[in-house]
Amino acid sequence: MAQTLADRLAPLHRKAGRWTIAGLPEGADAFALAEIARTTGGQDILHVARDGQRLERLQDGLRFFTPGREVLVFPAWDCLPYDRLSPHPDIVAERLHTLSKLAAPKPAGAPGRIILASAGAVLQRVPPRSLYTKATTVLRKGATIDLAWLTQFLGDNGYSRAETVMEPGEFAIRGGLIDLYPPGVAEPLRLDLFGDSVESIRAFDPMSQRSTGDRDEAVLLPVSEVLLTAESITRFRSGYRELFGNVAGDDLLYEAISSGQRHVGLEHWLPLFHDHLDTLLDYCAGAVVTADHQLAEALEARHELITDYYEARLHTGAKGGMTGAADYKPVPPERLYLKPSEWSRLLDGHSFGQFTSFDMPPDAANAIDLGGRRHEGFASARTAQNVNLFDRVAEHVKAANEGGRRVVIAGYTEGSASRLQHLLQEHGATLPVAVADYAMAQGLPAGTLGVTVWPLEHGFDIVVHSTTKYLNGHSDAIGGAAVVRADESLRERLGYLQNAIGGVSGPFDSFLTLRGIKTLALRMQRHCSNAQAIAEFLEGHAKVGKVYYPGLASHPQHALAKRQMKGGYGGIVTAVLRGSLDDTRGVLERCQLFALAESLGGVESLIEHPGLMTHASLPSAMRASLGITDGLIRLSVGVEDVNDLIADLRQALK
């Protein structure tokens, strides 16, 4: 009897050590995770994705392949290392919800969970497990509440007072009504008091403020990884002075914390508020750990970024800062982050599976080759003359069905899936059947075509466009557009905000944007072809040291761009000129057709110097860490005659 995929993956769970799961192209990894979960019994699986985008795509895949299994997500902070900003409350709420679930004892016999974390998240140290036992409380109907105690508890645990509760971590008290938005719930909760007793607990829609259902209890988790208790404040003050010496002059962070006030960005001093920090693996003891293809490279890149920002902070202090005159005193990286080598050592106690899309030799030790291959796609049919793309797809599907194989095609939305069904049927494919999830796909008879809904390719709920740039294209209107997935409630929420706040484009600006969209396709073809020619010209010029343009084979992500950017590689070209800053100034001043200006996306060609213009406010050390050198220039290539543009650059480079 042929082995199932779960059987082939079972050794990862049964035999400890480091395994390579080969022949696993991206897109099939969520399927593999679902199958591994079937073999582990109650053992959890921690999968580490390269970045946040991969995290989103794996979530979407797991909803299809194993919809009934609990999936916990642990994202990285959405701010830079050593930033002056705090992570977004939604990100913090999701992190704390996951950590609290992992810290709580799992019921006996409960199925294994899949925990998804990004490379940035696993390198970051986290509060100790004891945080969630000390700082969690449950409010139930009929319980008695001391409002003074509750207000103090919420403040200590990171909640902020608001007029109207809209986001996780907010609370409001209006007489006998208490609104709360703790982590781990889909909607905020409203407690109705009779005297000091909880009469009812209801969930409500934060947009309309209307109740959506009754609840029996409210579980209040911390909404910050930093708690401002008397003990943590004392610990911070002592640790801060020990690291940086006696505090002299204005130090807004130290003063705010000392007075029990939250300061923006205080999370970046996390180690000073706790007696020790744990790692995500401390919360996942005994879990099987799996990792994305090329995770090691992602961890090294993340650690290099952390080190660069730490060094930049050491050398810049308050310069370029956002919060007053005090210097930024960064905590040493080893206090807040793991090195990739430390992460690797921590894996020694776990069964670890490294995913890779490559093949492995048959005799490779601790290797499971699944033999997966990415389909070659239909790119050639898209560009071939006199070839109908849907005819080709229908022929491919029909041939697979006639061979007894089941085929499932995914659309991004319900609407696109419905259109695919009709189009494929019109072009001769097998009669399509709607499929909700993988279990339903498995139940299809041999030779069947299924059509399902898979979310937007990169996993976003909302895509925000600047209509000011390429969409308008003529530099005469300012605006933006938000494109949302097929979610009526999300559209209603955005529509409510737009109506309430008044973020509506004026009639003439709308007219100018619509006028620009009519020629968008033509303009983009010219932008891309001109930029490609200019990038190739600059790359071959003796006075140019480096050119960054995804259409060049020398670009490190050219292969990725070639797969994703089907209509060209954009109109932005970046180059590094040889010579001094004065030499670069001379080139900018000699350009006649390229206007010296900070913008992009218009029909006219522009040139600018980031170090002197767009990024001039950054300290020199930080600019250097970002690669913004004296010779760096950026070109927004317009739609003029390409020979004229190249001639202008040639004379300017003399």
Side-chain angles (χ1 to χ4, degrees), residues 341-356:
S341 58
E342 291 178 280
W343 165 258
S344 180
R345 284 197 300 274
L346 290 173
L347 291 174
D348 288 343
H350 296 260
S351 291
F352 174 69
Q354 174 63 62
F355 290 180
T356 176

Side-chain angles (χ1 to χ4, degrees), residues 266-495:
L266 85 168
E267 292 82 359
H268 300 279
W269 286 266
L270 181 69
L272 304 185
F273 291 92
H274 300 281
D275 57 5
H276 74 282
L277 295 181
D278 285 343
T279 69
L280 185 58
L281 282 175
D282 291 321
Y283 284 78
C284 300
V288 173
V289 183
T290 57
D292 263 4
H293 178 60
Q294 296 181 326
L295 175 69
E297 292 85 344
L299 293 173
E300 290 291 346
R302 179 67 181 178
H303 186 257
E304 183 178 346
L305 181 72
I306 291 166
T307 304
D308 287 347
Y309 273 92
Y310 175 70
E311 294 294 336
R313 282 300 186 194
L314 285 181
H315 291 96
T316 58
K319 297 174 184 175
M322 298 168 56
T323 56
D327 285 355
Y328 190 113
K329 299 171 182 175
V331 173
E334 62 272 14
R335 297 282 300 273
L336 187 54
Y337 299 99
L338 294 171
K339 294 179 180 178
S341 58
E342 291 178 280
W343 165 258
S344 180
R345 284 197 300 274
L346 290 173
L347 291 174
D348 288 343
H350 296 260
S351 291
F352 174 69
Q354 174 63 62
F355 290 180
T356 176
S357 57
F358 300 137
D359 299 332
M360 293 294 289
D363 57 348
N366 281 16
I368 303 171
D369 196 332
L370 302 180
R373 300 289 184 275
R374 182 181 291 277
H375 186 267
E376 62 186 17
F378 299 95
S380 59
R382 285 192 180 95
T383 57
Q385 296 288 334
N386 303 318
V387 173
N388 186 287
L389 172 63
F390 288 100
D391 281 341
R392 285 289 177 86
V393 176
E395 290 167 6
H396 177 82
V397 170
K398 194 171 182 180
N401 286 157
E402 289 173 352
R405 300 181 67 183
R406 296 185 295 263
V407 178
V408 178
I409 292 180
Y412 295 154
T413 64
E414 295 283 356
S416 67
S418 177
R419 288 193 296 274
L420 279 170
Q421 282 183 285
H422 293 302
L423 283 167
L424 291 171
Q425 194 172 349
E426 288 172 3
H427 288 264
T430 313
L431 181 65
V433 176
V435 171
D437 54 38
Y438 181 62
M440 187 173 178
Q442 283 183 308
L444 294 175
T448 305
L449 169 62
V451 177
T452 190
V453 177
W454 200 285
L456 286 171
E457 183 176 3
H458 298 299
F460 296 113
D461 292 331
I462 305 172
V463 179
V464 178
H465 292 276
S466 167
T467 61
T468 307
K469 307 303 183 185
Y470 284 107
L471 288 173
N472 168 264
H474 295 78
S475 306
D476 55 9
I478 295 175
V483 181
V484 303
R485 59 180 168 83
D487 183 333
E488 193 60 34
S489 65
L490 181 60
R491 286 201 295 268
E492 286 180 0
R493 290 174 66 189
L494 287 179

Side-chain angles (χ1 to χ4, degrees), residues 197-217:
S197 178
V198 180
E199 189 172 52
S200 68
I201 302 175
R202 289 168 292 163
F204 66 91
D205 178 2
M207 304 307 300
S208 66
Q209 297 289 300
R210 290 196 293 263
S211 297
T212 59
D214 291 331
R215 300 291 184 268
D216 293 325
E217 63 181 22

